[in-house]
Structure formats: structure tokens, C-alpha cells
Amino acid sequence: MTHNKQRVLLELLHISDPTLPIGGYSHSNGLETYIQQKVVKDVDTTREFVENMLIYNYKYNDGLFVRDAFKYGTDQNLEALLELDNESHALKTPMEVRDGSSKLGMRLLKIYVRLHDYELMHSFFEKVKNKETPGHYAIVFGMITALLGAEIKSVLSAFYYNAAVNMVTNSVKMVPLGQMDGQEILYNMHDLIAKLVDDTLTLDEEMRGLCNPAFDIRCMQHETLYSRLYMS
């Protein structure tokens, strides 16, 4: 492995680290509602939840936004990134998910504007600071990884893996599950993630924002749960 490829790999591991201090651990994205309603209640239903979220939600929403933000980041196209960011905002119906995504994106930007001097990233950051664009996480992730010189398949693999880790980690805490159960679920997602990456690369952009009404409803219900551990 050349030094440059090794550096890019380390950059990708860093930006997709679930422990990155952007607050991702405080969002369940509706999982808390599913658990309180006893839809997710054991190993099998947790596995089903994670698989369905990746296949029917992430692939057509944030996964596709990462892909297209990566393209516009590679092209240094600020206007296209801003338009994509606003489309992402419009398609996130649940308030907690919409607000959570923009907060994660802003925190990720705050980390990386201190680490790199990419003109496109700093221009986008100024737009977010001035409230001219929401700065959603998937858009920021795609843009920054493009500027870091990563390859799109690796970027999408890291993004989907990070999403799976967060869902499994939250399930272990809330269902609850054993640590080994969680690791087995996560490990068995590898083939699915590889397929999701290939599928995402070939999806038409008109598929962005494919509706997931049950997911949206559970996220909206989360706003009024009697007790909550997570922000979404």
C-alpha cells in the first residue's frame, strides 16, 4: 500500500469513526420508538430492523445523497452542493431527524475546517454558518470524503458501516442485547453493505428521497414519547 493510499484509508477511518465527537450517539433515528412499541424486541427483530433501514431507507436517502455530494465535491461544484443540501432538507419529514442531521453536519464541518484548508469546504461552511443552507450530514460527509481523495466505493462502504454500527450499538443498549449478539448482527451485514454500495452507484437520481412512511411516523411519534434516552 502506498503512503498516499494509506493516508486516505486513515482519513476515511477517522471520518467514519462512530466515536467522532459530533453527537451521533445521541440519535436513534426512530429506533427508540420501535423498541418502546415492542416492534424491535430481540436479536431477530433487531437484525430485521437494521437490514430494512439500510435497504429501504438509507439506500434511497442519505446513501444516495452521499454519492451525489461526493460527485459535486469532486467537481468543486458549490452551487450543486447547496441545491442538493436543500433537497435533502425538504425530504426529511420528521423534525427530529431533520434537525439532527443538520447538527451532525455542522459539527463534522467544525472538525474538518480546522484540519484542512479546502476552499470548497470552507465556502460551504460559511453558507451553513450564515444559515444559507442547512448543512446536512450526508452532504457534508460526501463532500469532505471527495476532497480527501477517497474512492466512492470505499466512501459508501464506510458510510453504510457507520450507520449499521450506530443502529446496532443503540439496540444493544435499549433492547437490550448481549455484546456478542450485536457483533454477530454487525458482522453479518458485510455482504449486504457490499451489495448496497453497488446498488447505490447505479441508482437514478430521481430515486432520491423514496418515501418510508412507517419510519417517518415512528420518528414523529418519538417527539411525544413519555420517556426518551435519545434526541431522535
Side-chain angles (χ1 to χ4, degrees), residues 8-61:
V8 171
L9 174 59
L10 291 171
E11 290 275 18
L12 199 52
L13 289 170
H14 181 257
I15 196 171
S16 60
D17 187 344
T19 64
L20 202 67
I22 60 174
Y25 61 87
S26 63
H27 296 272
S28 80
N29 291 314
L31 174 59
E32 191 167 18
T33 309
Y34 280 93
I35 291 173
Q36 288 202 21
Q37 294 179 353
K38 303 200 181 300
V39 177
V40 176
K41 57 189 176 182
D42 53 26
V43 171
D44 289 339
T45 52
T46 297
R47 182 185 299 108
E48 184 180 9
F49 172 83
V50 176
E51 288 177 349
N52 286 341
M53 282 290 288
L54 291 173
I55 296 169
Y56 300 112
N57 182 30
Y58 276 94
K59 182 172 76 172
Y60 296 104
N61 289 278

CSV table of all heavy atoms in Angstrom, one decimal, residues 8-61:
chain,number,residue,atom,x,y,z
A,8,VAL,N,-5.2,8.1,2.8
A,8,VAL,CA,-6.6,8.2,2.5
A,8,VAL,C,-7.4,7.2,3.3
A,8,VAL,O,-8.5,7.5,3.8
A,8,VAL,CB,-6.8,8.0,1.0
A,8,VAL,CG1,-8.3,7.9,0.7
A,8,VAL,CG2,-6.2,9.1,0.2
A,9,LEU,N,-6.9,6.0,3.5
A,9,LEU,CA,-7.6,5.0,4.3
A,9,LEU,C,-7.7,5.5,5.8
A,9,LEU,O,-8.8,5.4,6.4
A,9,LEU,CB,-6.8,3.7,4.3
A,9,LEU,CG,-7.3,2.6,5.3
A,9,LEU,CD1,-8.8,2.2,4.9
A,9,LEU,CD2,-6.4,1.3,5.2
A,10,LEU,N,-6.7,6.1,6.3
A,10,LEU,CA,-6.7,6.6,7.7
A,10,LEU,C,-7.7,7.7,7.8
A,10,LEU,O,-8.4,7.9,8.8
A,10,LEU,CB,-5.3,7.0,8.1
A,10,LEU,CG,-4.3,5.9,8.3
A,10,LEU,CD1,-2.9,6.4,8.6
A,10,LEU,CD2,-4.7,5.0,9.5
A,11,GLU,N,-7.7,8.6,6.8
A,11,GLU,CA,-8.7,9.7,6.8
A,11,GLU,C,-10.1,9.2,6.8
A,11,GLU,O,-11.0,9.7,7.5
A,11,GLU,CB,-8.5,10.6,5.5
A,11,GLU,CG,-7.2,11.4,5.5
A,11,GLU,CD,-7.4,12.7,6.2
A,11,GLU,OE1,-8.3,12.9,7.0
A,11,GLU,OE2,-6.5,13.6,6.0
A,12,LEU,N,-10.4,8.1,6.0
A,12,LEU,CA,-11.7,7.5,5.9
A,12,LEU,C,-12.1,6.8,7.2
A,12,LEU,O,-13.3,6.9,7.6
A,12,LEU,CB,-11.7,6.5,4.7
A,12,LEU,CG,-13.1,6.2,4.2
A,12,LEU,CD1,-13.9,7.4,3.8
A,12,LEU,CD2,-12.9,5.2,2.9
A,13,LEU,N,-11.2,6.2,7.8
A,13,LEU,CA,-11.4,5.5,9.1
A,13,LEU,C,-11.8,6.6,10.2
A,13,LEU,O,-12.7,6.4,11.0
A,13,LEU,CB,-10.2,4.7,9.6
A,13,LEU,CG,-9.9,3.4,8.8
A,13,LEU,CD1,-8.6,2.9,9.2
A,13,LEU,CD2,-11.0,2.4,9.1
A,14,HIS,N,-11.1,7.7,10.1
A,14,HIS,CA,-11.3,8.8,11.0
A,14,HIS,C,-12.7,9.4,10.9
A,14,HIS,O,-13.4,9.6,11.9
A,14,HIS,CB,-10.2,9.9,10.9
A,14,HIS,CG,-10.4,11.0,11.9
A,14,HIS,ND1,-10.9,12.2,11.5
A,14,HIS,CD2,-10.1,11.1,13.2
A,14,HIS,CE1,-10.9,13.0,12.6
A,14,HIS,NE2,-10.4,12.4,13.6
A,15,ILE,N,-13.1,9.8,9.7
A,15,ILE,CA,-14.3,10.5,9.5
A,15,ILE,C,-15.5,9.6,9.7
A,15,ILE,O,-16.6,10.1,10.0
A,15,ILE,CB,-14.4,11.1,8.0
A,15,ILE,CG1,-15.5,12.2,8.0
A,15,ILE,CG2,-14.6,10.1,7.0
A,15,ILE,CD1,-15.5,13.0,6.7
A,16,SER,N,-15.4,8.3,9.5
A,16,SER,CA,-16.5,7.3,9.7
A,16,SER,C,-16.5,6.7,11.1
A,16,SER,O,-17.3,5.8,11.4
A,16,SER,CB,-16.5,6.3,8.6
A,16,SER,OG,-15.3,5.5,8.7
A,17,ASP,N,-15.6,7.1,12.0
A,17,ASP,CA,-15.5,6.5,13.3
A,17,ASP,C,-16.7,6.9,14.1
A,17,ASP,O,-17.1,8.1,14.3
A,17,ASP,CB,-14.2,7.1,14.0
A,17,ASP,CG,-14.0,6.4,15.4
A,17,ASP,OD1,-14.9,5.8,15.9
A,17,ASP,OD2,-12.9,6.6,15.9
A,18,PRO,N,-17.5,5.9,14.6
A,18,PRO,CA,-18.7,6.2,15.3
A,18,PRO,C,-18.5,7.0,16.6
A,18,PRO,O,-19.4,7.6,17.2
A,18,PRO,CB,-19.3,4.8,15.7
A,18,PRO,CG,-18.7,3.9,14.7
A,18,PRO,CD,-17.3,4.4,14.4
A,19,THR,N,-17.2,7.0,17.1
A,19,THR,CA,-16.9,7.8,18.3
A,19,THR,C,-16.5,9.2,18.0
A,19,THR,O,-16.2,10.0,18.9
A,19,THR,CB,-15.8,7.1,19.1
A,19,THR,OG1,-14.6,7.1,18.4
A,19,THR,CG2,-16.2,5.7,19.5
A,20,LEU,N,-16.5,9.6,16.7
A,20,LEU,CA,-16.2,11.0,16.4
A,20,LEU,C,-17.2,11.9,17.1
A,20,LEU,O,-18.4,11.7,17.2
A,20,LEU,CB,-16.4,11.2,14.9
A,20,LEU,CG,-15.7,12.4,14.2
A,20,LEU,CD1,-14.2,12.2,14.2
A,20,LEU,CD2,-16.1,12.5,12.7
A,21,PRO,N,-16.6,13.0,17.8
A,21,PRO,CA,-17.5,13.8,18.7
A,21,PRO,C,-18.4,14.8,17.9
A,21,PRO,O,-18.3,16.0,18.0
A,21,PRO,CB,-16.4,14.6,19.5
A,21,PRO,CG,-15.2,14.7,18.6
A,21,PRO,CD,-15.2,13.4,17.8
A,22,ILE,N,-19.4,14.2,17.2
A,22,ILE,CA,-20.4,15.1,16.5
A,22,ILE,C,-21.8,14.8,17.1
A,22,ILE,O,-22.7,15.5,16.7
A,22,ILE,CB,-20.3,14.8,15.0
A,22,ILE,CG1,-20.7,13.4,14.7
A,22,ILE,CG2,-19.0,15.2,14.4
A,22,ILE,CD1,-20.8,13.1,13.2
A,23,GLY,N,-21.9,13.9,18.0
A,23,GLY,CA,-23.2,13.6,18.7
A,23,GLY,C,-24.0,12.5,18.0
A,23,GLY,O,-25.2,12.4,18.4
A,24,GLY,N,-23.4,11.7,17.2
A,24,GLY,CA,-24.2,10.7,16.5
A,24,GLY,C,-24.8,9.7,17.5
A,24,GLY,O,-25.8,9.1,17.3
A,25,TYR,N,-24.1,9.5,18.6
A,25,TYR,CA,-24.5,8.5,19.6
A,25,TYR,C,-25.8,8.9,20.3
A,25,TYR,O,-26.5,8.1,21.0
A,25,TYR,CB,-23.4,8.4,20.7
A,25,TYR,CG,-23.1,9.6,21.4
A,25,TYR,CD1,-23.8,10.0,22.5
A,25,TYR,CD2,-22.1,10.5,21.0
A,25,TYR,CE1,-23.6,11.2,23.2
A,25,TYR,CE2,-21.8,11.7,21.6
A,25,TYR,CZ,-22.6,12.1,22.7
A,25,TYR,OH,-22.3,13.2,23.4
A,26,SER,N,-26.2,10.2,20.2
A,26,SER,CA,-27.4,10.7,20.9
A,26,SER,C,-28.7,10.6,20.0
A,26,SER,O,-29.7,11.0,20.4
A,26,SER,CB,-27.2,12.1,21.4
A,26,SER,OG,-27.0,13.0,20.3
A,27,HIS,N,-28.5,10.0,18.8
A,27,HIS,CA,-29.7,9.9,17.9
A,27,HIS,C,-30.0,8.4,17.6
A,27,HIS,O,-29.1,7.7,17.2
A,27,HIS,CB,-29.4,10.6,16.6
A,27,HIS,CG,-29.2,12.1,16.8
A,27,HIS,ND1,-30.3,13.0,16.8
A,27,HIS,CD2,-28.1,12.9,17.0
A,27,HIS,CE1,-29.9,14.2,17.0
A,27,HIS,NE2,-28.5,14.2,17.1
A,28,SER,N,-31.2,8.0,17.8
A,28,SER,CA,-31.6,6.6,17.5
A,28,SER,C,-32.4,6.6,16.2
A,28,SER,O,-32.6,5.5,15.6
A,28,SER,CB,-32.5,6.0,18.6
A,28,SER,OG,-33.9,6.5,18.5
A,29,ASN,N,-32.8,7.8,15.6
A,29,ASN,CA,-33.5,7.9,14.4
A,29,ASN,C,-34.7,7.0,14.3
A,29,ASN,O,-34.9,6.2,13.4
A,29,ASN,CB,-32.5,7.6,13.2
A,29,ASN,CG,-31.5,8.7,13.0
A,29,ASN,OD1,-31.8,9.8,13.0
A,29,ASN,ND2,-30.3,8.3,12.8
A,30,GLY,N,-35.5,7.0,15.4
A,30,GLY,CA,-36.8,6.3,15.4
A,30,GLY,C,-36.7,4.9,16.1
A,30,GLY,O,-37.7,4.4,16.4
A,31,LEU,N,-35.5,4.4,16.3
A,31,LEU,CA,-35.3,3.1,16.9
A,31,LEU,C,-35.9,3.0,18.2
A,31,LEU,O,-36.6,2.0,18.6
A,31,LEU,CB,-33.8,2.7,16.9
A,31,LEU,CG,-33.5,1.4,17.6
A,31,LEU,CD1,-34.2,0.2,17.0
A,31,LEU,CD2,-32.0,1.2,17.7
A,32,GLU,N,-35.8,4.1,19.0
A,32,GLU,CA,-36.3,4.1,20.4
A,32,GLU,C,-37.8,3.9,20.4
A,32,GLU,O,-38.4,3.2,21.2
A,32,GLU,CB,-36.0,5.4,21.1
A,32,GLU,CG,-36.2,5.4,22.5
A,32,GLU,CD,-35.6,6.6,23.3
A,32,GLU,OE1,-35.2,7.6,22.6
A,32,GLU,OE2,-35.5,6.5,24.5
A,33,THR,N,-38.5,4.5,19.4
A,33,THR,CA,-40.0,4.3,19.3
A,33,THR,C,-40.3,2.8,18.9
A,33,THR,O,-41.2,2.2,19.5
A,33,THR,CB,-40.6,5.2,18.2
A,33,THR,OG1,-40.1,6.5,18.4
A,33,THR,CG2,-42.1,5.1,18.2
A,34,TYR,N,-39.6,2.3,18.0
A,34,TYR,CA,-39.8,0.8,17.6
A,34,TYR,C,-39.6,-0.1,18.8
A,34,TYR,O,-40.3,-1.0,19.0
A,34,TYR,CB,-38.8,0.4,16.5
A,34,TYR,CG,-39.2,0.9,15.1
A,34,TYR,CD1,-38.7,2.0,14.6
A,34,TYR,CD2,-40.0,0.1,14.3
A,34,TYR,CE1,-39.1,2.4,13.3
A,34,TYR,CE2,-40.4,0.4,13.0
A,34,TYR,CZ,-39.9,1.6,12.5
A,34,TYR,OH,-40.2,2.0,11.3
A,35,ILE,N,-38.6,0.2,19.7
A,35,ILE,CA,-38.4,-0.6,20.8
A,35,ILE,C,-39.5,-0.4,21.9
A,35,ILE,O,-40.0,-1.4,22.4
A,35,ILE,CB,-37.0,-0.3,21.4
A,35,ILE,CG1,-35.9,-0.8,20.5
A,35,ILE,CG2,-36.8,-0.9,22.8
A,35,ILE,CD1,-34.5,-0.3,20.8
A,36,GLN,N,-39.9,0.8,22.1
A,36,GLN,CA,-40.9,1.0,23.1
A,36,GLN,C,-42.3,0.4,22.7
A,36,GLN,O,-43.1,0.0,23.5
A,36,GLN,CB,-41.1,2.5,23.4
A,36,GLN,CG,-40.0,3.1,24.2
A,36,GLN,CD,-40.3,4.4,24.9
A,36,GLN,OE1,-41.5,4.7,25.1
A,36,GLN,NE2,-39.3,5.2,25.3
A,37,GLN,N,-42.5,0.4,21.4
A,37,GLN,CA,-43.7,-0.3,20.8
A,37,GLN,C,-43.5,-1.8,20.7
A,37,GLN,O,-44.4,-2.4,20.2
A,37,GLN,CB,-44.1,0.4,19.5
A,37,GLN,CG,-44.5,1.8,19.6
A,37,GLN,CD,-44.8,2.5,18.3
A,37,GLN,OE1,-44.7,1.9,17.2
A,37,GLN,NE2,-45.3,3.7,18.3
A,38,LYS,N,-42.4,-2.3,21.1
A,38,LYS,CA,-42.1,-3.7,21.1
A,38,LYS,C,-42.1,-4.3,19.7
A,38,LYS,O,-42.4,-5.5,19.5
A,38,LYS,CB,-43.0,-4.5,22.0
A,38,LYS,CG,-42.9,-4.0,23.4
A,38,LYS,CD,-43.4,-4.9,24.5
A,38,LYS,CE,-43.3,-4.4,25.9
A,38,LYS,NZ,-41.9,-4.0,26.3
A,39,VAL,N,-41.8,-3.5,18.7
A,39,VAL,CA,-41.6,-4.0,17.3
A,39,VAL,C,-40.2,-4.6,17.2
A,39,VAL,O,-40.0,-5.6,16.6
A,39,VAL,CB,-41.8,-2.8,16.3
A,39,VAL,CG1,-41.6,-3.3,14.9
A,39,VAL,CG2,-43.2,-2.3,16.4
A,40,VAL,N,-39.3,-3.9,17.8
A,40,VAL,CA,-37.9,-4.4,17.9
A,40,VAL,C,-37.7,-4.8,19.3
A,40,VAL,O,-37.8,-4.0,20.3
A,40,VAL,CB,-36.9,-3.3,17.5
A,40,VAL,CG1,-35.4,-3.8,17.8
A,40,VAL,CG2,-37.0,-2.9,16.1
A,41,LYS,N,-37.5,-6.1,19.6
A,41,LYS,CA,-37.5,-6.6,20.9
A,41,LYS,C,-36.5,-7.7,21.2
A,41,LYS,O,-36.3,-8.2,22.4
A,41,LYS,CB,-38.9,-7.2,21.3
A,41,LYS,CG,-39.4,-8.2,20.3
A,41,LYS,CD,-40.9,-8.6,20.5
A,41,LYS,CE,-41.3,-9.6,19.5
A,41,LYS,NZ,-42.8,-9.9,19.6
A,42,ASP,N,-35.8,-8.2,20.2
A,42,ASP,CA,-34.9,-9.3,20.4
A,42,ASP,C,-33.8,-9.3,19.2
A,42,ASP,O,-33.8,-8.4,18.4
A,42,ASP,CB,-35.6,-10.7,20.5
A,42,ASP,CG,-36.5,-11.0,19.3
A,42,ASP,OD1,-36.3,-10.4,18.2
A,42,ASP,OD2,-37.5,-11.7,19.5
A,43,VAL,N,-33.0,-10.4,19.2
A,43,VAL,CA,-32.0,-10.4,18.1
A,43,VAL,C,-32.6,-10.4,16.7
A,43,VAL,O,-32.1,-9.7,15.8
A,43,VAL,CB,-31.1,-11.7,18.4
A,43,VAL,CG1,-30.1,-11.9,17.2
A,43,VAL,CG2,-30.3,-11.5,19.7
A,44,ASP,N,-33.6,-11.3,16.5
A,44,ASP,CA,-34.1,-11.4,15.2
A,44,ASP,C,-34.8,-10.1,14.7
A,44,ASP,O,-34.6,-9.7,13.5
A,44,ASP,CB,-35.2,-12.5,15.1
A,44,ASP,CG,-34.5,-13.9,15.2
A,44,ASP,OD1,-33.3,-14.0,14.9
A,44,ASP,OD2,-35.2,-14.9,15.6
A,45,THR,N,-35.6,-9.5,15.6
A,45,THR,CA,-36.2,-8.2,15.1
A,45,THR,C,-35.2,-7.1,15.0
A,45,THR,O,-35.4,-6.2,14.2
A,45,THR,CB,-37.3,-7.8,16.1
A,45,THR,OG1,-36.8,-7.8,17.5
A,45,THR,CG2,-38.5,-8.8,16.0
A,46,THR,N,-34.1,-7.1,15.8
A,46,THR,CA,-33.1,-6.1,15.6
A,46,THR,C,-32.4,-6.3,14.3
A,46,THR,O,-32.2,-5.3,13.5
A,46,THR,CB,-32.0,-6.2,16.7
A,46,THR,OG1,-32.7,-5.9,18.0
A,46,THR,CG2,-30.9,-5.2,16.5
A,47,ARG,N,-32.1,-7.5,13.9
A,47,ARG,CA,-31.4,-7.7,12.6
A,47,ARG,C,-32.3,-7.3,11.5
A,47,ARG,O,-31.9,-6.7,10.5
A,47,ARG,CB,-31.1,-9.2,12.5
A,47,ARG,CG,-30.4,-9.6,11.2
A,47,ARG,CD,-30.2,-11.1,11.0
A,47,ARG,NE,-29.4,-11.6,12.1
A,47,ARG,CZ,-29.9,-12.4,13.1
A,47,ARG,NH1,-31.2,-12.7,13.1
A,47,ARG,NH2,-29.1,-12.9,14.0
A,48,GLU,N,-33.6,-7.6,11.6
A,48,GLU,CA,-34.6,-7.2,10.6
A,48,GLU,C,-34.7,-5.7,10.5
A,48,GLU,O,-34.7,-5.1,9.4
A,48,GLU,CB,-36.0,-7.8,10.9
A,48,GLU,CG,-37.0,-7.5,9.9
A,48,GLU,CD,-38.4,-8.1,10.2
A,48,GLU,OE1,-38.5,-8.6,11.3
A,48,GLU,OE2,-39.3,-8.1,9.3
A,49,PHE,N,-34.7,-5.0,11.6
A,49,PHE,CA,-34.8,-3.5,11.6
A,49,PHE,C,-33.5,-2.9,10.9
A,49,PHE,O,-33.7,-2.1,10.0
A,49,PHE,CB,-34.8,-3.0,13.1
A,49,PHE,CG,-34.7,-1.5,13.2
A,49,PHE,CD1,-35.8,-0.7,13.0
A,49,PHE,CD2,-33.5,-0.9,13.4
A,49,PHE,CE1,-35.7,0.7,13.0
A,49,PHE,CE2,-33.4,0.5,13.5
A,49,PHE,CZ,-34.5,1.3,13.3
A,50,VAL,N,-32.3,-3.4,11.3
A,50,VAL,CA,-31.1,-2.8,10.7
A,50,VAL,C,-31.1,-3.1,9.2
A,50,VAL,O,-30.8,-2.2,8.4
A,50,VAL,CB,-29.9,-3.4,11.4
A,50,VAL,CG1,-28.6,-2.9,10.7
A,50,VAL,CG2,-29.8,-3.1,12.8
A,51,GLU,N,-31.4,-4.3,8.8
A,51,GLU,CA,-31.4,-4.6,7.3
A,51,GLU,C,-32.4,-3.8,6.6
A,51,GLU,O,-32.1,-3.2,5.5
A,51,GLU,CB,-31.8,-6.1,7.1
A,51,GLU,CG,-30.7,-7.1,7.6
A,51,GLU,CD,-31.1,-8.5,7.4
A,51,GLU,OE1,-32.3,-8.8,7.2
A,51,GLU,OE2,-30.2,-9.4,7.5
A,52,ASN,N,-33.6,-3.7,7.1
A,52,ASN,CA,-34.7,-2.9,6.4
A,52,ASN,C,-34.3,-1.4,6.4
A,52,ASN,O,-34.6,-0.7,5.4
A,52,ASN,CB,-36.0,-3.1,7.1
A,52,ASN,CG,-36.6,-4.4,6.8
A,52,ASN,OD1,-36.2,-5.1,5.9
A,52,ASN,ND2,-37.6,-4.9,7.6
A,53,MET,N,-33.7,-0.9,7.4
A,53,MET,CA,-33.3,0.5,7.4
A,53,MET,C,-32.3,0.8,6.3
A,53,MET,O,-32.3,1.8,5.6
A,53,MET,CB,-32.8,0.9,8.8
A,53,MET,CG,-33.9,1.2,9.8
A,53,MET,SD,-34.8,2.7,9.5
A,53,MET,CE,-33.6,3.9,9.9
A,54,LEU,N,-31.3,-0.1,6.2
A,54,LEU,CA,-30.3,0.1,5.2
A,54,LEU,C,-30.8,-0.1,3.8
A,54,LEU,O,-30.5,0.7,2.9
A,54,LEU,CB,-29.2,-1.0,5.4
A,54,LEU,CG,-28.3,-0.8,6.7
A,54,LEU,CD1,-27.4,-2.0,6.9
A,54,LEU,CD2,-27.5,0.5,6.6
A,55,ILE,N,-31.7,-1.1,3.6
A,55,ILE,CA,-32.2,-1.4,2.3
A,55,ILE,C,-33.2,-0.4,1.8
A,55,ILE,O,-33.2,0.1,0.6
A,55,ILE,CB,-32.8,-2.8,2.2
A,55,ILE,CG1,-31.7,-3.9,2.5
A,55,ILE,CG2,-33.4,-3.1,0.9
A,55,ILE,CD1,-32.2,-5.3,2.7
A,56,TYR,N,-34.2,-0.1,2.7
A,56,TYR,CA,-35.3,0.7,2.2
A,56,TYR,C,-35.2,2.2,2.6
A,56,TYR,O,-36.0,3.0,2.0
A,56,TYR,CB,-36.6,0.1,2.8
A,56,TYR,CG,-36.8,-1.3,2.3
A,56,TYR,CD1,-36.7,-2.3,3.2
A,56,TYR,CD2,-37.1,-1.6,1.0
A,56,TYR,CE1,-36.9,-3.7,2.8
A,56,TYR,CE2,-37.2,-2.9,0.5
A,56,TYR,CZ,-37.2,-3.9,1.5
A,56,TYR,OH,-37.3,-5.2,1.0
A,57,ASN,N,-34.4,2.6,3.5
A,57,ASN,CA,-34.3,4.0,3.9
A,57,ASN,C,-32.9,4.6,3.5
A,57,ASN,O,-32.9,5.5,2.6
A,57,ASN,CB,-34.5,4.1,5.4
A,57,ASN,CG,-34.4,5.6,5.8
A,57,ASN,OD1,-34.8,6.5,5.1
A,57,ASN,ND2,-33.9,5.8,7.1
A,58,TYR,N,-31.8,4.1,4.1
A,58,TYR,CA,-30.5,4.7,3.8
A,58,TYR,C,-30.2,4.7,2.3
A,58,TYR,O,-29.6,5.7,1.8
A,58,TYR,CB,-29.4,4.0,4.6
A,58,TYR,CG,-29.3,4.5,6.0
A,58,TYR,CD1,-30.0,3.9,7.1
A,58,TYR,CD2,-28.5,5.7,6.3
A,58,TYR,CE1,-29.9,4.4,8.4
A,58,TYR,CE2,-28.4,6.1,7.6
A,58,TYR,CZ,-29.1,5.5,8.6
A,58,TYR,OH,-29.0,6.0,9.9
A,59,LYS,N,-30.4,3.6,1.6
A,59,LYS,CA,-30.0,3.5,0.2
A,59,LYS,C,-30.6,4.6,-0.6
A,59,LYS,O,-30.0,5.1,-1.5
A,59,LYS,CB,-30.4,2.1,-0.3
A,59,LYS,CG,-29.9,1.9,-1.8
A,59,LYS,CD,-30.1,0.5,-2.2
A,59,LYS,CE,-31.5,0.1,-2.6
A,59,LYS,NZ,-31.7,-1.2,-3.2
A,60,TYR,N,-31.9,4.9,-0.4
A,60,TYR,CA,-32.6,5.8,-1.2
A,60,TYR,C,-32.5,7.3,-0.7
A,60,TYR,O,-33.0,8.2,-1.4
A,60,TYR,CB,-34.1,5.4,-1.4
A,60,TYR,CG,-34.2,4.1,-2.1
A,60,TYR,CD1,-34.5,3.0,-1.4
A,60,TYR,CD2,-34.0,4.0,-3.5
A,60,TYR,CE1,-34.7,1.7,-2.1
A,60,TYR,CE2,-34.2,2.8,-4.2
A,60,TYR,CZ,-34.5,1.7,-3.5
A,60,TYR,OH,-34.6,0.5,-4.1
A,61,ASN,N,-32.0,7.4,0.5
A,61,ASN,CA,-32.0,8.8,1.1
A,61,ASN,C,-30.5,9.2,1.3
A,61,ASN,O,-29.8,9.6,0.4
A,61,ASN,CB,-32.8,8.8,2.3
A,61,ASN,CG,-34.3,8.7,2.0
A,61,ASN,OD1,-34.9,9.7,1.7
A,61,ASN,ND2,-34.9,7.5,2.1
